[in-house]
Amino acid sequence: MAVHVPWHRLVMLCRRRDSLHRLRLFSTTRVNLDESDERISDTGSAFRLALLSRSRRHLSPLERVSSMLPRDALSPEVLQLREQTRPEEEAGDPEETGDPEVHPQPDAAEDGGVPRTLPGERLLAYGELLIAEYRRKRVEFRKMFQLQPGARLQSSWGVVPHDHVVEQRAGRFFDTHRGVPFLIRRASLEDYVLYMKRGPAIAYPKDAAAMLMMMDVTEGDCVLESGSGSGGMSLFLSRAVGCQGNVLSVEVRDDHHKRAVRNFQRWRASWHLRRGQEWPDNVQFCNADLRTASSRLAGRGFDAAALDMINPHLVLPTVIDHLHPGAVCAVYLANITQVVDLLEGLRWSMLPLLCERIIELPVRDWLVAPARAKDGRYRVREAPTPMENLMDEEETSDEGDKCVLEVIQQDNLEVLKHFYSSFFIISEDESHPPAFGTVPYVARPHPEQAAHTAFLVKLRKCVR
């Protein structure tokens, strides 16, 4: 007859006699939940290996200094000593570094030391714009840098020489001199717009994407932009219109105009190194006031217009004459009072424009990760206790004590898993992670949220 035993009685009984020692050995070994017929084996040897790995002697100061020197500067004796100690270091306890994450190792190299690549894949080259990332708990590091000969990536977690990154595959982990792994990848257009050098505030990528959808910009279109700023929106427009289209970007301030041109050319140079082809030179930057620049727009028609300025209603009389009927003018405004001024200017000037939408685009980031214990191991789901077990708790207490003592003396993995999986943390193994559906997840909003950025106003030209 099956006897149900409450877990608190089980824990109390496990602390008696020599059963506690056996349970500790069981919790330090890997449990394969997929194979119920296997028995726990080599428990003592695994426990001794764990103790040896925890008590492994650290490197001496001389060995630490020699490990930082290049191979060419070492004598044959020191090289031989390094090769002997390397397997011992690799066999050490991964929890000793304090980082429970398992990071991928560099790819195996072909003859000549060149990493294997997929068709169409290009290795990192000097001059490319890269992103270095490091995440652990709430600590987050992200930096954009340009790969240069002899330079180094500086951070509070260590240094990564650029010469170690060049001619390697993107999207890999590179360890700093302190052993902290950094993920280094190529910068996307979104990354570049967020981390490039700025003069004024930028149109954030989420807002730029919504403006492109409002204007329905496609390849081959001719778009007018007023307010180049730092050049972020100009880059998104350049990619949208493609090689067959063109963008006219007008900026009234000279310093903003120069910053936008530099950022645009810098991205084009990095793109050429990354893809081996030219980014289209389809943006014409103009340093002028759009209210008095009718001569620059003479003989031109635009499929859409993007305005990012303080008083857009002042330039709309000039823009509307060169905008195709039915085309959209997307306006980027920082606060709601500017939206009110824009609508009041449209009412007073009697322009043939319809205000179709006024929207705000908040983005809420979430953190979703598997639940871990303080030592970095995955937790397991706890099954609820059935009601009939609670009702029969007092009646089966005496019989349960005898049953538990018999169960502890057995080596059947299935029985042990039935009693102990609810309150033991199963050890994580790189080759055998916990079974699917056994690990709980924790989800919560990110503590740093990007709240309001701008209001987007969609104006459409109509014929009256």
Side-chain angles (χ1 to χ4, degrees):
M1 179 182 65
V3 180
H4 300 282
V5 184
W7 66 270
H8 62 274
R9 285 186 172 274
L10 179 62
V11 175
M12 181 179 62
L13 290 173
C14 290
R15 292 177 179 175
R16 300 176 183 176
R17 303 176 185 177
D18 58 345
S19 60
L20 180 60
H21 177 67
R22 180 168 185 174
L23 291 177
R24 287 176 179 173
L25 295 181
F26 172 75
S27 62
T28 57
T29 58
R30 177 178 58 83
V31 178
N32 191 346
L33 299 181
D34 297 332
E35 300 177 2
S36 58
D37 296 336
E38 292 186 0
R39 299 175 181 267
I40 302 176
S41 61
D42 296 336
T43 305
S45 60
F47 184 67
R48 286 193 296 271
L49 289 176
L51 291 179
L52 290 176
S53 62
R54 289 189 179 92
S55 60
R56 180 171 55 87
R57 180 179 59 86
H58 294 280
L59 294 176
S60 64
L62 181 59
E63 291 173 336
R64 288 198 297 267
V65 172
S66 64
S67 62
M68 299 171 60
L69 296 177
R71 297 178 61 89
D72 300 340
L74 300 178
S75 62
E77 293 79 5
V78 178
L79 284 176
Q80 184 178 3
L81 179 61
R82 176 186 291 186
E83 296 297 333
Q84 293 177 357
T85 57
R86 182 175 301 174
E88 298 179 0
E89 297 175 7
E90 295 178 353
D93 190 3
E95 297 181 2
E96 194 170 304
T97 59
D99 188 2
E101 299 291 340
V102 178
H103 302 281
Q105 298 296 326
D107 298 324
E110 297 178 351
D111 296 339
V114 180
R116 292 193 299 265
T117 58
L118 298 175
E121 182 182 2
R122 300 174 65 91
L123 300 179
L124 299 178
Y126 288 120
E128 288 195 63
L129 295 172
L130 306 179
I131 295 290
E133 294 179 334
Y134 170 66
R135 298 180 183 180
R136 184 185 176 190
K137 296 182 180 179
R138 291 191 178 183
V139 180
E140 184 172 339
F141 170 80
R142 185 181 290 107
K143 181 178 181 181
M144 185 177 70
F145 65 98
Q146 188 173 17
L147 201 58
Q148 298 177 352
R152 299 189 302 174
L153 174 63
Q154 303 281 353
S155 69
S156 302
W157 292 272
V159 177
V160 177
H162 290 195
D163 296 337
H164 293 178
V165 181
V166 72
E167 296 298 330
Q168 299 293 331
R169 304 179 70 181
R172 276 184 40 193
F173 286 91
F174 293 86
D175 292 338
T176 64
H177 74 284
R178 297 177 57 183
V180 179
F182 278 6
L183 174 64
I184 296 183
R185 57 176 178 84
R186 289 186 171 96
S188 63
L189 183 56
E190 179 184 4
D191 297 325
Y192 180 72
V193 171
L194 291 176
Y195 294 101
M196 66 183 182
K197 293 184 179 180
R198 307 179 187 177
I202 63 171
Y204 280 81
K206 66 181 184 67
D207 299 322
M211 294 176 68
L212 291 176
M213 294 299 296
M214 282 183 175
M215 296 182 291
D216 194 23
V217 178
T218 58
E219 187 174 359
D221 287 350
C222 182
V223 182
L224 172 65
E225 180 191 14
S226 179
S228 304
S230 299
M233 190 64 192
S234 304
L235 284 167
F236 285 108
L237 290 172
S238 174
R239 184 171 66 176
V241 301
C243 300
Q244 301 178 2
N246 61 85
V247 179
L248 177 61
S249 182
V250 183
E251 175 59 52
V252 65
R253 291 187 53 169
D254 181 65
D255 54 343
H256 294 177
H257 166 74
K258 293 180 179 178
R259 172 57 61 190
V261 173
R262 284 195 295 266
N263 287 337
F264 183 76
Q265 296 301 332
R266 188 186 182 194
W267 173 257
R268 293 186 67 242
S270 176
W271 181 265
H272 177 69
L273 296 172
R274 173 180 177 178
R275 293 296 183 92
Q277 56 186 359
E278 293 289 342
W279 179 276
D281 190 8
N282 53 7
V283 179
Q284 179 185 355
F285 292 95
C286 178
N287 183 18
D289 189 352
L290 191 57
R291 291 179 294 180
T292 59
S294 299
S295 59
R296 297 180 181 271
L297 306 181
R300 303 189 62 172
F302 299 97
D303 300 290
L307 306 182
D308 182 5
M309 48 195 311
I310 299 177
N311 299 311
H313 56 279
L314 300 180
V315 302
L316 282 177
T318 305
V319 173
I320 197 66
D321 294 336
H322 301 274
L323 199 61
H324 295 169
V328 173
C329 176
V331 186
Y332 183 92
L333 297 173
N335 52 70
I336 195 63
T337 57
Q338 291 177 317
V339 177
V340 175
D341 292 341
L342 172 62
L343 298 181
E344 179 65 13
L346 293 178
R347 184 196 63 81
W348 182 84
S349 60
M350 300 294 292
L351 294 176
L353 291 172
L354 295 177
C355 180
E356 293 187 352
R357 296 187 68 186
I358 301 174
I359 63 174
E360 181 187 12
L361 297 176
V363 175
R364 190 177 188 182
D365 295 330
W366 280 75
L367 297 176
V368 182
R372 292 177 179 268
K374 291 185 177 181
D375 57 0
R377 293 180 295 176
Y378 289 121
R379 294 189 179 274
V380 296
R381 295 183 183 272
E382 297 183 3
T385 304
M387 290 297 299
E388 57 269 15
N389 293 358
L390 299 178
M391 298 175 58
D392 299 340
E393 177 179 350
E394 296 181 359
E395 300 178 1
T396 61
S397 58
D398 298 336
E399 299 180 2
D401 295 346
K402 300 179 182 179
C403 179
V404 169
L405 293 178
E406 294 177 0
V407 167
I408 292 178
Q409 296 176 358
Q410 298 178 6
D411 291 333
N412 193 315
L413 177 61
E414 195 65 26
V415 178
L416 288 176
K417 181 183 67 174
H418 172 74
F419 281 101
Y420 302 128
S421 60
S422 60
F423 58 91
F424 270 116
I425 300 175
I426 300 178
S427 301
E428 178 186 356
D429 196 327
E430 179 182 359
S431 59
H432 294 80
F436 178 79
T438 60
V439 178
Y441 277 71
V442 178
R444 58 184 176 84
H446 197 283
E448 299 177 0
Q449 295 290 343
H452 168 73
T453 53
F455 294 97
L456 305 182
V457 182
K458 182 180 180 180
L459 305 176
R460 187 181 298 275
K461 181 180 179 180
C462 58
V463 179
R464 297 180 179 177

